[in-house]
Amino acid sequence: MSFKVAFIGAGSIGFTRGLLRDLLSVPEFHDIEVAFMDINERNLEMVTQLCQRDIDENGLKIKIKPTTDRREAFKDAKYIFSVVRIGGLEAFQTDIDIPLKYGIDQCVGDTLCAGGIMYGQRGIAEMLAICKDIRETAAPDCLLLNYANPMAMMTWACNQYGGVRTIGLCHGVQGGHWQIAEAFGLPKKEVDIICAGINHQTWYISIKHKGEDLTGKLLEAFEQHPEFSKTEKVRIDMLRRFGYYSTESNGHLSEYVPWYRKRPDEIQDWIDLGSWINGETGGYLRVCTEGRNWFETDFPNWLKEKPFEYTKENRSEEHGSYIIEGLETGRVYRGHFNVVNHGVIANLPDDAIIEAPGYVDRNGINMPQVGDLPLGCAAVCNVSISVQRLAVEAAVHGDDFLLRQAMMMDPLTGAVCNPKEIWQMVDELLVAQEKWLPQYQDAIAEAKKRLATEELLPTNPDYQGAARLKVKSVEEMAQDRETANKNAGEADKAKERPAATK
């Protein structure tokens, strides 16, 4: 069978190369068309060269069509993968550094908190333009598979305002599923789960092994695990106090709620610096920066290494290829997908983007009803949904009043800052990110005036956070090429375990 798949943001080496391997591991897909689009010509060229070599070495005849023109990439595409990062690392740096001046210590900053909200303002503005191009150039039934963060906000905007059928995809459920099996000392394939909530705050509300309900035994298993008891302190504490385990990593989760990162002298009590994902200040920014620098420098050596093998055994657990396989071949796939709620989770708002179990076959993507989340879990999700709704509306309409309200309602931002500080911080963020925020032109002009003429609240521009590590130089990374390559390949998204299916 033949159809066209386009990747936007294809310069994201880890995700693009891995997703392409997954797709081309399906025998029926060996004749598909593939287009790569990115605004960074150099990264696009490198990723295309690397992926084309993989294709050629696997004996396929597909020729990737790289382009910096997204309308050309989208033309007649049936499926589009979005792995974009609007503003790149330049904007991402301000997402982390400006809030730090106000005492907001983030590990990742791409989903909630001050950084995630601003990431959404940049991303949504561009995604609506992308959706317009999809509507005008892609196949009429085109499906947008969104891997870009902030997942819920981006998927919400595309579905409600973009006019494009969009499903959000993440591997957090798979990572936590593996951890739970590991904590019980069981094979993952023998552990049945039901996981539901919102992206990065999805709860394992049912855990069973051969019919035995293990949900209530999970806390003890994690507390006694030699590794997780040290690396997952926030997640274990949330499990202790809410009764259910949450999908997202220790560092991610710590910045979504108000309790674990609001006092600098207590942050170290909750995190572990063995891996950035466990809570390092600005850890994701550091690893992305190192990954980019390493890939750009070491790329010639990547071409000398063994190509990816397009086999069933090497296929990852990322949902995207399995969704397309189900839709095209009729093979049934069960995964966890981010979709408009429409009553799937009864005690979360209908218009919110929820993450829940779904099934895919030739009939489409079908979401069974979950019912009510446990009350405490729903309360945590509803706080985040309120922030997401405000942030989406702010981004779509260029309304800085709603943007400031989103910041105030954000749990960690509100725990650290008072309203005047939040107002001033938003002014700084808007001005710093002006070139990626066309919808805020008038608001940015006013913010510039205030910052130039009014007496400003004191901040701490030298504050580096409670647990920030130095970005490694290329020379330092070269001392351990295997780790550096792994870092560069995974910097697009955090992996909690090796990607291959077990």
Side-chain angles (χ1 to χ4, degrees):
M1 57 183 62
S2 182
F3 52 85
K4 183 176 180 181
V5 178
F7 292 77
I8 181 170
S12 304
I13 173 60
F15 244 44
T16 299
R17 193 182 182 200
L19 289 171
L20 185 65
R21 172 203 57 207
D22 294 349
L23 272 174
L24 298 183
S25 296
V26 180
E28 290 90 343
F29 294 173
H30 288 178
D31 294 319
I32 66 172
E33 295 180 58
V34 177
F36 283 0
M37 183 272 161
D38 202 286
I39 61 172
N40 185 317
E41 292 188 49
R42 175 59 179 144
N43 278 15
L44 179 63
E45 177 187 351
M46 290 190 291
V47 173
T48 301
Q49 189 176 352
L50 193 59
C51 290
Q52 188 65 60
R53 186 203 56 159
D54 290 341
I55 290 172
D56 295 344
E57 291 294 326
N58 280 273
L60 304 185
K61 302 300 182 184
I62 295 169
K63 294 299 180 185
I64 298 169
K65 297 176 181 177
T67 178
T68 57
D69 182 344
R70 69 182 180 222
R71 291 178 69 90
E72 180 182 337
F74 294 165
K75 183 173 173 54
D76 299 324
K78 191 172 184 181
Y79 301 100
I80 296 174
F81 284 99
S82 173
V83 289
V84 299
R85 176 184 284 150
I86 305 303
L89 297 185
E90 181 185 353
F92 191 12
Q93 182 94 40
T94 65
D95 288 340
I96 300 299
D97 290 351
I98 290 176
L100 262 182
K101 293 169 54 179
Y102 293 83
I104 301 171
D105 187 318
Q106 302 168 96
C107 172
V108 184
D110 72 355
T111 299
L112 282 171
C113 203
I117 292 170
M118 293 308 299
Y119 200 175
Q121 304 310 294
R122 302 191 303 274
I124 288 169
E126 191 62 25
M127 282 307 298
L128 294 183
I130 288 169
C131 284
K132 179 177 183 292
D133 287 344
I134 292 173
R135 294 195 309 268
E136 294 177 356
T137 63
D141 60 347
C142 180
L143 176 65
L144 177 59
L145 299 115
N146 177 47
Y147 275 100
N149 280 322
M151 171 62 63
M153 295 184 205
M154 299 277 266
T155 305
W156 193 328
C158 290
N159 278 294
Q160 183 167 334
Y161 291 104
V164 173
R165 187 170 56 117
T166 305
I167 184 168
L169 302 176
C170 180
H171 52 240
V173 174
Q174 298 98 301
H177 189 182
W178 168 77
Q179 283 189 327
I180 289 168
E182 182 77 8
F184 283 121
L186 296 169
K188 179 171 174 273
K189 63 184 178 181
E190 293 184 8
V191 179
D192 297 318
I193 62 164
I194 297 175
C195 195
I198 62 172
N199 184 239
H200 290 186
Q201 288 182 346
T202 323
W203 307 84
Y204 297 91
I205 56 177
S206 175
I207 303 166
K208 292 183 179 180
H209 177 246
K210 296 183 178 179
E212 179 188 359
D213 191 342
L214 300 179
T215 315
K217 299 178 181 180
L218 187 60
L219 177 59
E220 182 181 3
F222 268 93
E223 288 178 331
Q224 294 181 356
H225 192 276
E227 178 186 353
F228 299 151
S229 60
K230 298 179 177 65
T231 61
E232 303 293 349
K233 293 177 183 177
V234 172
R235 296 171 86 179
I236 291 172
D237 197 60
M238 290 287 285
L239 170 60
R240 182 181 297 118
R241 300 183 192 284
F242 286 85
Y244 300 89
Y245 196 57
S246 178
T247 48
E248 207 40 60
S249 66
N250 200 73
H252 256 310
L253 182 56
S254 69
E255 66 188 9
Y256 301 158
V257 291
W259 309 299
Y260 304 103
R261 299 187 79 96
K262 67 179 179 179
R263 296 172 183 157
D265 57 336
E266 294 180 3
I267 292 176
Q268 291 276 7
D269 296 340
W270 294 106
I271 69 171
D272 171 80
L273 289 177
S275 171
W276 70 269
I277 202 171
N278 297 331
E280 173 193 339
T281 300
Y284 190 44
L285 174 63
R286 176 184 65 79
V287 90
C288 288
T289 303
E290 291 176 355
R292 176 201 62 189
N293 294 344
W294 178 251
F295 180 60
E296 290 178 351
T297 302
D298 198 57
F299 174 71
N301 290 320
W302 287 52
L303 290 173
K304 300 175 186 177
E305 295 181 352
K306 187 178 178 181
F308 279 180
E309 293 182 34
Y310 296 160
T311 65
K312 178 181 177 181
E313 294 73 25
N314 291 325
R315 193 177 180 185
S316 84
E317 293 185 324
E318 297 293 349
H319 298 300
S321 69
Y322 296 96
I323 291 174
I324 297 177
E325 181 181 7
L327 293 171
E328 294 292 332
T329 71
R331 297 186 191 112
V332 178
Y333 174 65
R334 178 191 172 185
H336 286 77
F337 313 136
N338 290 268
V339 299
V340 182
N341 188 13
H342 292 321
V344 172
I345 300 177
N347 54 351
L348 296 185
D350 269 0
D351 62 335
I353 299 297
I354 54 92
E355 189 168 53
Y359 296 86
V360 186
D361 59 18
R362 273 206 181 95
N363 295 315
I365 299 166
N366 301 287
M367 305 294 293
Q369 285 193 331
V370 172
D372 284 343
L373 282 183
L375 200 57
C377 299
V380 173
C381 289
N382 273 310
V383 172
S384 296
I385 289 169
S386 293
V387 176
Q388 292 166 356
R389 181 182 286 106
L390 285 164
V392 168
E393 293 298 316
V396 169
H397 302 292
D399 188 333
D400 70 310
F401 196 53
L402 292 179
L403 173 60
R404 297 169 200 277
Q405 292 172 355
M407 292 284 187
M408 288 186 68
M409 290 301 299
D410 179 77
L412 182 56
T413 303
V416 173
C417 294
N418 65 38
K420 288 185 178 180
E421 290 168 335
I422 292 171
W423 242 244
Q424 180 176 299
M425 180 181 69
V426 171
D427 279 351
E428 285 201 56
L429 286 164
L430 285 171
V431 171
Q433 299 184 18
E434 179 179 10
K435 61 184 172 181
W436 303 289
L437 298 172
Q439 74 273 46
Y440 284 108
Q441 183 177 355
D442 293 340
I444 290 171
E446 293 299 317
K448 287 179 178 179
K449 290 179 184 177
R450 283 190 292 273
L451 293 174
T453 61
E454 296 182 4
E455 183 177 352
L456 300 181
L457 299 171
T459 62
N460 186 358
D462 298 323
Y463 181 53
Q464 291 298 302
R468 197 160 198 179
L469 302 181
K470 175 182 170 290
V471 175
K472 291 179 182 177
S473 67
V474 171
E475 291 73 23
E476 289 171 321
M477 288 186 281
Q479 296 174 17
D480 186 352
R481 291 192 70 255
E482 182 178 353
T483 299
N485 285 348
K486 181 174 182 290
N487 175 33
E490 295 184 355
D492 305 303
K493 290 275 184 172
K495 296 282 193 298
E496 294 201 15
R497 65 159 321 218
T501 305
K502 300 295 183 185

